[in-house]
Amino acid sequence: MRTTIAASAAAVVAASMLAASSAVNAPPAVLPRDQRMRWWRDARFGMFIHFGLYSAPGGTWDGKPVGGVGEWLLLNARIDPIAYEKALVPQFNPVKFDAGEWARIAKDAGMGYVVITTKHHDGFALWDSAVSDYDVMATPFRRDIMRELSDAVRAEGLRMCWYHSIMDWHHPDYQPRREWDRRPVDPQSFPRYVDYMHAQLRELLTRYGDIGILWFDGEWEGTWNHDWGKKTDDLVRSLQPGIIVNNRVDSGRAGMEGFTADEHARGDYGTPEQTIPPNGMPGKDWETCMTMNDTWGYKSADGNWKSAQTMIRMLCDIASKGGNFLLNVGPKGDGTIPEESVARLRRIGEWMKVNGEAIHGTQASPFPRKFPWGRVTTKHPFRSGAQATTLYLHVFEWPASGSIRLDGISNEPAGTVRVLGAPARTPAAHREGSAIVIDGIGSAAVDGDCTVIAVDIAGVPAVEPFRVRPAADGTIACTAADAVVTGSIQYEDRFANLGWWRDLASSASWPIELPERRTFDATIEYAADSCCAGDLSVSVMQDGKELFPGRVQLQPRAGWGDFATVPIGRYVLPAGRSEIKVKAASKNGDSFVNLRRIDLKPVR
Ligand code: FHN
């Protein structure tokens, strides 16, 4: 609850002066990144909690349903921020809130951390804030939810983490304002808002013990920039040197794909949202956050729940690509987690009790692409002095043959093969040419959602690199999902395309292997807004040398989803290994094109 206005202003000024001095005098001494990331990489799986004033109405306003996600009620119903406060603060009374129950649900599901919305875009503080009276102490509930939850989460051995929104639709100094917000605007107010936000971050990072992650969000409006991001990142790390901060503390994130191309941007990991990068992001830390239905904050009308199987397989898919899975629950206004969420998490927990070793503490699959039957994660334990790697085969589609093939690996089986959850089965692994074959796995899956087979191999995995190979008819398909990209380019689920093509240095390439030299006619399937497109540079490369350059003008189209396939020339590809590489030789607008695929058709 706010102290007197003068005292709170003094608190904000003092806090920001201290913060400014620490941020200006010297960058904070933070722990080395790999040391900070270790627990997070091992956890692989966390609970996201969206809880706040919006949980009470559950997606309705004035008794009528409101479209969009539940936590965007103020915006979707175009509510005056003060009217929103006056209506919902007296309503917020989650009398059934039980922090211990929430923590147990997360623990039993096999989750290693909990990220809760301390303040979402509506600006309401779920803790007792000294610099605001728009907080949980102003409600009938009058309990510090952050205090209770952080104690309960730690008691279960999990890490407590804070989500905090930069965007604040309620605070008078935040800009831009919502267009229906008629309060007077002081054009110079944004720095005051940042001081206020820093004061609240100081409260959250000095009162509630060790915090695992500061999960920023709402950084996309033009008032936030790299300078504010740097100052905020420095402040957070000066208060908790071991903390992890996501990439949304800074500006420049490329949409829901979640990565920031700028190498100077702050943030420890990328944050794909509602999407899983098709081939992960090799060498980068990232975490997909996902709803169980279609809303983050509770919505009574949203019954579009994902199945537990879907989410178990998402967890396996994400872990096989070296990412983390932050799965969301949106508790109801009474403080309980919806039964649909609890039931799914209970099932996920049952699966994790048998198969958690294939998720926790694992690294990405060594294979360049996923197998049709499922996914692979790895663990590098040292056993009896000899280094062995455990491959965990996450089998979604159980083979009737009772055997599984791992093509393109040269390691020798190291003896132990287990079917998790079926200790009586006695599978065995042997080599067949360039593959390891696992037999005797049984004619039926142990778990229809996913059965895991643990296979030890000698040494560190040595697998054949990914190559695009010709189909039976000689055609070669270079798809967006298979591209090796550099610079700002990112894969976009929306149209299964490469997007965010922002500069002439960025490139997309496909490693190709041919049995003999051949000539091909090439086509590109692309889309571009009317402002954009430009000249495409096409190169056939071998051993870093350009063999056959091409340059083709791509015409603008009607939009980023308006795809067309056009010829881009005739190219000769050498026998053996080569690559097709494309870049923007020129571009008319901010972005170049959305590229869906390049096809090579052999010239008879
Ligand atoms: O606008 C928010 C949204 O409400 C939710 O919090 C998600 C979770 O990552 N983040 C923003 C949308 O990208």
Side-chain angles (χ1 to χ4, degrees), residues 48 50 71-72 120-121 163 215 217 220 248 256 273 289 296:
F48 211 171
H50 277 69
E71 73 285 359
W72 274 58
H120 203 263
H121 309 334
Y163 165 110
W215 212 98
D217 199 11
W220 53 79
R248 301 190 186 190
M256 294 308 192
E273 180 170 324
C289 57
W296 301 93

Side-chain angles (χ1 to χ4, degrees), residues 139-401:
T139 71
F141 193 60
R142 287 190 60 79
R143 282 159 51 184
D144 187 329
I145 290 174
M146 298 302 102
R147 166 73 56 216
E148 295 181 35
L149 188 61
S150 53
D151 291 347
V153 162
R154 286 193 197 100
E156 291 292 343
L158 309 184
R159 299 301 298 271
M160 187 72 246
C161 308
W162 297 145
Y163 165 110
H164 199 76
S165 176
I166 293 163
M167 179 165 70
D168 186 319
W169 299 327
H170 178 277
H171 196 280
D173 288 334
Y174 179 82
Q175 292 183 48
R177 287 281 188 75
R178 299 319 99 186
E179 62 186 85
W180 57 88
D181 182 347
R182 297 286 174 235
R183 293 176 292 176
V185 178
D186 166 3
Q188 307 308 318
S189 72
F190 196 77
R192 279 201 309 272
Y193 168 71
V194 176
D195 286 344
Y196 164 80
M197 187 178 89
H198 284 182
Q200 290 203 320
L201 287 171
R202 297 185 76 81
E203 294 177 343
L204 289 166
L205 293 170
T206 56
R207 288 191 199 160
Y208 300 96
D210 172 54
I211 301 300
I213 302 167
L214 212 300
W215 212 98
F216 283 101
D217 199 11
E219 86 290 3
W220 53 79
E221 296 198 307
T223 42
W224 195 253
N225 58 36
H226 175 61
D227 191 42
W228 289 128
K230 220 167 33 165
K231 285 190 171 72
T232 303
D233 188 54
D234 284 346
L235 169 67
V236 168
R237 296 183 193 278
S238 68
L239 296 169
Q240 297 227 6
I243 201 166
I244 294 171
V245 181
N246 76 350
N247 68 338
R248 301 190 186 190
V249 66
D250 207 326
S251 54
R253 168 174 58 105
M256 294 308 192
E257 278 57 47
F259 291 88
T260 310
D262 176 356
E263 59 187 317
H264 303 296
R266 297 296 185 93
D268 292 311
Y269 67 85
T271 50
E273 180 170 324
Q274 307 281 37
T275 181
I276 301 169
N279 294 310
M281 290 298 269
K284 289 189 177 179
D285 286 303
W286 55 276
E287 169 196 76
T288 279
C289 57
M290 185 81 68
T291 54
M292 284 200 187
N293 47 11
D294 293 328
T295 178
W296 301 93
Y298 176 63
K299 262 195 99 169
S300 53
D302 184 339
N304 187 26
W305 300 96
K306 297 174 182 71
S307 70
Q309 180 182 90
T310 296
M311 296 186 283
I312 286 169
R313 293 185 176 184
M314 281 180 170
L315 176 59
C316 300
D317 181 42
I318 289 167
S320 77
K321 295 167 180 171
N324 279 26
F325 190 24
L326 187 62
L327 185 56
N328 183 72
V329 296
K332 300 194 283 191
D334 67 0
T336 60
I337 294 175
E339 185 44 40
E340 295 86 346
S341 299
V342 174
R344 284 157 177 79
L345 288 171
R346 194 176 299 121
R347 170 62 195 124
I348 293 169
E350 288 166 2
W351 186 85
M352 284 293 278
K353 276 185 182 53
V354 174
N355 303 287
E357 70 171 278
I359 300 289
H360 295 143
T362 62
Q363 294 82 38
S365 168
F367 297 95
R369 287 297 178 272
K370 53 198 173 206
F371 289 98
W373 43 260
R375 304 291 183 269
V376 178
T377 54
T378 56
K379 203 176 271 188
H380 305 289
F382 286 81
R383 294 211 179 123
S384 61
Q387 184 182 22
T389 295
T390 301
L391 299 178
Y392 291 101
L393 315 185
H394 302 247
V395 184
F396 299 163
E397 311 303 333
W398 196 259
S401 64

Side-chain angles (χ1 to χ4, degrees), residues 502-572:
R502 291 295 170 86
D503 53 54
L504 306 187
S506 295
S507 68
S509 60
W510 291 267
I512 291 175
E513 182 139 16
L514 287 181
E516 67 209 358
R517 175 188 169 92
R518 292 205 79 168
T519 303
F520 295 87
D521 281 334
T523 59
I524 183 174
E525 184 182 3
Y526 81 98
D529 214 351
S530 55
C531 62
C532 299
D535 283 5
L536 177 77
S537 141
V538 184
S539 306
V540 175
M541 309 290 290
Q542 189 171 50
D543 301 331
K545 286 199 296 296
E546 183 177 61
L547 304 181
F548 302 93
R551 182 169 174 144
V552 181
Q553 188 179 47
L554 299 180
Q555 296 302 324
R557 297 194 54 78
W560 293 116
D562 178 30
F563 285 88
T565 299
V566 301
I568 52 172
R570 177 166 287 188
Y571 299 87
V572 178

